[in-house]
């Protein structure tokens, strides 16, 4: 990509041609040449005659060497103006050096401070409290660990798009502002012109189902909102979900798609973001075991197994975080729990013909204590049964008229699931809390910056 | 992708092995074989002894031939149950037929109706009013034209991700719920726990700037909200924006990135979605001319040109839709208008050193009357000048503290832009109104379905 030529600003550059501006990851193509790198200072160290500057440009990090004898006093004096996070234009010769991080080093002929940074830069190389760091999230992002997480998140996002694109899925953006569909907990509401109250979407699934009848296989990728008054390490009030929906796919097909997707995401990060996983000190040997097929456990068997492992869970209840952790204890890859009791799950899931107390659904539980990263189901495609469920749950039938239409006009077997992006990133990065998996987390007490 | 085996349901299938379930675009790999296709009926025609069924599965359309003499009366009678949008499982032999749309045809041995469709299906092959169609958007999506638009939209989305991924940009999700940043028109608000009022994001740019300092080159891709009380063919209250932000890029770099992106998107749709452009009757010869470089016109020159063309615009005013159309009249590709007057543009744009009445910015105007699809600028990177602009506009300085921090700690030259996805889709598809470019449009009087 063409980027700006540096303007050295103070006329100190020699009259030789302006050196090319090079991004740090591209230095390997310029060994022996004079180039300019622009970025921010992360470390400084000087012996009085020779100084070492470490600079990052957002894409990479490189060490630069400034020798007083080489550059003369005018340029050497600028070393004294440098502080953490000052932005600089560094001009020098690229040297290959296997000992240097990244394999290259700059021997400097010029240093220009393009943006100073006062010594009160809030984030210092010491322990800070989480609230302090979250208050300074706009700066905290610059730290190597946070930047690595965001690069892994971005890689996972691209991998998700690539996975579905290769399978001929259509990406469908479902609406964020939606009309009332009945009382649910954690709805975020706003007034919408003369149309009454609008609610921020908690899922795009219902719209996804309509789109699947038009386009065969679709997926959504967007923000969803649940303003629960709870603080846990697995919940945000604003989080991103990926929700595929496939016409003519049943619950078994649905799980195969899930295990293929999760395995692909893990493999993709392993193969393309190893440097970031190293930065995060992730135990990659655990990730390397994530290949299909994932074990499938029927809910009823899971309850029995949990009780032998000491849980007091009763058949009929949803699994709590502790039960989930207990269930995947010792598993080397994610585990599917299938066919939960009807009462524990949403109204739109298809009744299980083999056991009508249950529905054709699954959760996908990640190992290492991460728990649910996906919830999926075959959808109820029988008009009368779906209507009965809507009525039984006390939902407003009128509001679901268009959704019922999908069962009225050419109903079809279909299935889908929701992947929680932040939980997936936390799992792959090995993070204890989802708050670092998103650039600017929104939680009960966190709306800023 | 593995998909469900059809369950013929009524025991009419022979005892031979179940034929494979095949998606319509994959029929070419099964010529001469017996397969099952599942989908929805779009057209029916019968001579009394032979019937033609056209079926779509969301991915493609195929014609199937049912001969009374071949299948016997029991299966033949099922033809009578078929209606528009009934879902069916069709089993038959794949024949290559160059006259058939798609090049293949099915000679049927079995027809199973998997989901009937009453004859009151709302969308009939006749003219419907736009309000009626929008009220039935969940079904309207199934029509060939609407499905084609959504496939082009999806292709453009993937192309955007691919474009930035190839250039080492990090995809960054900026928050939707944001704290107050001062009065602006069209803000959508909600109460946020004990944190006061939250507003739905009108842009992710300010957060994107913070991320660019951490990651070098970033882009956002998300929904934005402007609840303006206006009805035009170019505005939605909920729309998707793509906002790249690049560290160490100036306004000239910024325009090069824009023309590369727009040209890539057009070329990508031309090369991979020609069938959909044909369905939309798009004049592709117009699109084929969209290659870099795009012409650049200084705002001041544009005003002069507009006045010679009959406009009454005065220097200092923003360009209206009519001025934009006048300006690109006869252009064979998008046109950049650069360096608008300060008062016509947002507070964060960098003052133009060559003419301080103006700022370093550009709009990208699409030809054929489409007008602005991109707005971009170099950002004000001087702390004092930015602060002065915030104060002059009466914005709350406190709320911009974190944004000012980006100029306080290592300020840096940077630029970015916002591409309106729906306008871009409308332009590439050749649509007069943005409401059909998004699956479920949200407008002043439109919150449902």
């Amino acid at each position: 990509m063409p980027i700006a030529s540096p303007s050295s600003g103070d006329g100190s550059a020699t009259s030789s041609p302006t050196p090319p501006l090079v991004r740090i990851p591209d230095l390997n193509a310029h060994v022996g040449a004079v180039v300019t790198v622009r970025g921010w200072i992360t470390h400084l160290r000087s012996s009085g005659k020779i100084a070492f500057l470490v600079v990052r440009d957002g894409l990479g990090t490189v060490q630069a060497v400034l020798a007083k004898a080489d550059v003369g006093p005018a340029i050497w004096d600028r070393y004294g103006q440098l502080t953490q996070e000052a932005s600089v234009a560094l001009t020098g010769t690229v040297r290959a050096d296997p000992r240097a991080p990244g394999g290259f080093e700059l021997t400097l002929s010029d240093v220009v401070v393009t943006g100073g940074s006062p010594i009160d830069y809030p984030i210092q190389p010491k322990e800070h409290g989480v609230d302090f760091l979250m208050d300074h999230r706009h700066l905290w992002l610059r730290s190597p660990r946070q930047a690595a997480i965001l690069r892994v998140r971005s890689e996972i996002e691209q991998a998700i798009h690539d996975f579905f694109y290769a399978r001929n899925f259509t990406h469908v953006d479902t609406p964020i502002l939606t009309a009332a569909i009945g009382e649910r907990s954690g709805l975020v509401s706003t007034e919408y012109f003369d149309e009454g109250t609008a609610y921020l979407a908690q899922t795009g699934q219902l719209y996804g189902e309509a789109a699947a009848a038009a386009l065969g296989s679709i997926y959504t990728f967007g923000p969803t909102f649940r303003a629960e008054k709870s603080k846990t390490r697995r919940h945000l009030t604003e989080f991103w979900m990926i929700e595929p929906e496939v016409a003519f796919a049943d619950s078994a097909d649905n799980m195969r798609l899930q295990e293929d997707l999760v395995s692909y995401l893990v493999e993709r990060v392993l193969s393309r973001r190893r440097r970031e996983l190293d930065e995060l000190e992730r135990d990659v040997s655990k990730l390397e075991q994530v290949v299909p097929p994932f074990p499938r456990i029927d809910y009823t068997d899971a309850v029995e197994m949990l009780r032998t492992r000491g849980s007091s869970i009763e058949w009929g209840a949803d699994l709590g975080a502790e039960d989930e952790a207990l269930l995947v204890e010792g598993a080397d890859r994610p585990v599917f729990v299938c066919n939960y009791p009807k009462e524990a799950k949403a109204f739109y899931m298809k009744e299980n013909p083999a056991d009508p107390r249950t529905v054709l659904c699954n959760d996908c539980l990640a190992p290492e204590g991460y728990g649910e990263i996906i919830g999926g189901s075959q959808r109820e495609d029988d008009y009368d049964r779906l209507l009965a469920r809507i009525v039984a749950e006390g939902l407003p039938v009128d509001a679901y008229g268009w959704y019922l239409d999908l069962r009225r006009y050419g109903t079809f077997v279909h299935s889908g699931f929701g992947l929680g992006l932040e939980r997936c990133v936390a799992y792959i990065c090995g993070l204890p809390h989802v708050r670092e998996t998103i650039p600017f987390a929104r939680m009960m007490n966190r709306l800023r910056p």
Side-chain angles (χ1 to χ4, degrees), chain A:
Chain A
M1 194 201 54
I3 47 181
S5 300
S7 49
S8 61
D10 61 356
S12 69
T14 66
S15 59
S16 58
T18 309
L21 180 59
V22 175
R23 303 285 189 178
I24 291 171
D26 302 329
L27 286 175
N28 59 348
H30 298 268
V31 174
V34 176
V35 303
T36 296
V37 165
R38 301 188 75 159
W40 295 266
I41 296 289
T42 66
H43 296 88
L44 294 166
R45 182 162 55 89
S46 167
S47 72
K49 290 190 172 172
I50 188 159
F52 297 91
L53 297 65
V54 181
V55 67
R56 62 169 186 86
D57 69 355
L59 299 164
T61 298
V62 70
Q63 178 169 275
V65 184
L66 186 69
K68 189 173 180 176
D70 290 351
V71 295
I75 291 176
W76 174 259
D77 283 351
R78 288 189 211 142
Y79 177 81
Q81 305 165 27
L82 295 177
T83 53
Q84 186 191 356
E85 287 302 319
S87 74
V88 290
L90 302 179
T91 299
T93 307
V94 183
R95 312 262 182 226
D97 182 346
R99 295 164 307 170
F104 301 93
E105 203 173 67
L106 280 178
T107 304
L108 295 181
S109 52
D110 196 13
V111 174
V112 179
V113 181
T114 52
S117 181
I119 53 166
D120 68 350
Y121 183 70
I123 298 176
Q124 296 293 330
K126 63 166 192 177
E127 282 289 310
H128 292 288
V130 164
D131 278 344
F132 178 88
L133 291 170
M134 292 298 282
D135 285 343
H136 294 87
R137 185 67 174 163
H138 57 293
L139 302 174
W140 189 26
L141 295 178
R142 302 180 182 189
S143 74
R145 192 176 156 81
Q146 298 306 313
I149 294 168
L150 293 192
R151 275 192 287 264
V152 172
R153 179 185 170 103
S154 176
E155 186 71 43
I156 290 172
E157 294 186 315
Q158 183 70 27
I160 290 166
H161 293 301
D162 291 348
F163 178 88
F164 288 115
Y165 186 75
R167 281 162 180 75
N168 210 2
F169 279 59
T170 301
H171 180 177
V172 166
D173 297 305
T174 51
I176 310 300
L177 293 166
T178 58
I181 49 166
E183 277 310 305
R184 290 195 187 188
S185 67
L187 281 168
V188 182
S189 67
T190 183
E191 288 311 299
Y192 194 85
F193 299 106
D194 301 329
E195 300 290 309
T197 306
Y199 300 89
L200 301 193
Q202 296 192 329
T203 169
Q205 176 202 315
L206 278 58
Y207 293 98
E209 292 182 51
L215 299 156
S217 305
I218 68 92
Y219 73 106
T220 74
F221 193 119
T224 51
F225 303 84
R226 291 194 200 176
E228 307 275 5
K229 279 209 171 175
S230 68
K231 298 181 188 178
T232 84
R233 61 183 186 80
R234 304 207 294 171
H235 291 89
L236 298 170
T237 54
E238 178 180 322
F239 58 103
W240 288 67
M241 278 229 286
I242 293 86
E243 298 182 276
E245 194 72 34
V246 184
F248 311 118
D250 64 15
S251 189
D253 301 321
N254 197 29
M255 284 187 273
R256 281 194 292 271
L257 187 65
Q258 291 168 49
E259 66 193 358
D260 285 351
L261 173 62
V262 172
S263 305
Y264 178 72
L265 299 182
V266 168
E267 189 281 320
R268 173 91 170 236
V269 174
L270 278 172
S271 63
R272 302 205 194 177
R273 291 293 167 186
R274 188 60 70 109
R275 196 161 51 102
E276 284 77 11
L277 293 177
D278 290 347
E279 173 69 44
L280 298 168
E281 297 173 321
R282 180 67 166 111
D283 180 353
V284 295
S285 71
K286 298 253 195 250
L287 295 177
E288 282 162 351
Q289 298 171 60
V290 178
V291 289
F294 297 169
R296 283 135 168 92
I297 308 177
D298 197 84
Y299 167 85
T300 302
D301 297 334
V303 167
E304 238 177 82
M305 181 190 290
L306 283 169
R307 293 181 65 94
T308 68
R309 290 185 182 182
S311 167
S312 57
I313 189 172
E314 301 277 351
W315 196 100
D318 205 353
L319 302 186
E322 282 178 33
D323 288 322
E324 289 180 2
L326 203 56
L327 209 54
V328 292
E329 214 173 70
D332 62 352
R333 68 195 75 186
V335 171
F336 291 125
V337 181
C338 321
N339 303 345
Y340 284 68
K342 203 177 278 184
E343 312 84 61
K345 291 292 176 184
F347 73 95
Y348 49 71
M349 297 189 180
K350 186 170 178 64
E351 190 177 285
N352 181 3
D355 179 358
R357 300 175 307 163
T358 66
V359 284
L360 294 172
C361 72
N362 75 273
D363 283 355
C364 178
L365 310 182
E368 303 177 65
Y370 283 95
E372 185 193 340
I373 54 174
I374 290 179
S377 72
Q378 189 169 329
R379 316 309 188 186
E380 184 54 77
D381 50 17
D382 182 89
Y383 184 94
D384 295 325
R385 281 210 181 96
L386 181 63
L387 178 59
R389 286 294 302 269
I390 289 172
V391 170
E393 305 234 351
L395 297 168
V397 175
D398 272 7
Y400 288 91
W402 69 266
Y403 186 64
L404 284 160
D405 272 358
L406 308 179
R407 280 72 181 169
R408 188 171 162 80
Y409 300 107
T411 191
F412 59 114
V413 170
H414 61 292
S415 300
F417 62 88
L419 168 73
L421 181 60
E422 287 73 22
R423 291 182 179 186
C424 181
V425 174
Y427 163 51
I428 292 179
C429 288
L431 305 176
H433 197 296
V434 292
R435 68 184 157 226
E436 293 179 31
T437 63
I438 187 166
F440 295 90
R442 292 296 180 250
M443 294 173 288
M444 196 176 139
N445 57 352
R446 170 69 55 198
L447 182 63
R448 297 174 176 81

